[in-house]
Amino acid sequence: MQGQRRWIKLWARTVGMPIGIDDNDKPEFLPITQSDVKKALAFRTFWIVLQCCMIIAGNGRALGLW
């Protein structure tokens, strides 16, 4: 479980969503609950994956692969 928390914390910082251990460990500049941060992180992750898929599909079409 510790590795998963570390990965989530790393990914959250990568996409700009600071996350703490619990609701009492709030970041200074983002006063929302941890569950809201996790929802926003899930949405941003989905959006990044969707954009990557669209870029790959667009390049494949431009190169005539499909």
Side-chain angles (χ1 to χ4, degrees):
M1 189 72 170
Q2 185 70 357
Q4 183 181 9
R5 286 183 185 165
R6 188 179 326 162
W7 185 87
I8 289 174
K9 195 173 192 178
L10 176 67
W11 180 244
R13 289 179 179 173
T14 301
V15 297
M17 294 295 299
I19 191 168
I21 303 299
D22 56 7
D23 285 338
N24 296 327
D25 183 24
K26 293 181 181 177
E28 294 176 11
F29 56 92
L30 193 62
I32 61 176
T33 63
Q34 294 299 312
S35 61
D36 290 340
V37 170
K38 289 180 182 179
K39 289 175 190 175
L41 180 62
F43 181 73
R44 280 188 170 188
T45 302
F46 168 74
W47 190 250
I48 290 170
V49 170
L50 181 67
Q51 286 178 340
C52 290
C53 291
M54 291 295 124
I55 290 170
I56 291 170
N59 287 335
R61 185 172 179 191
L63 294 173
L65 298 175
W66 46 78

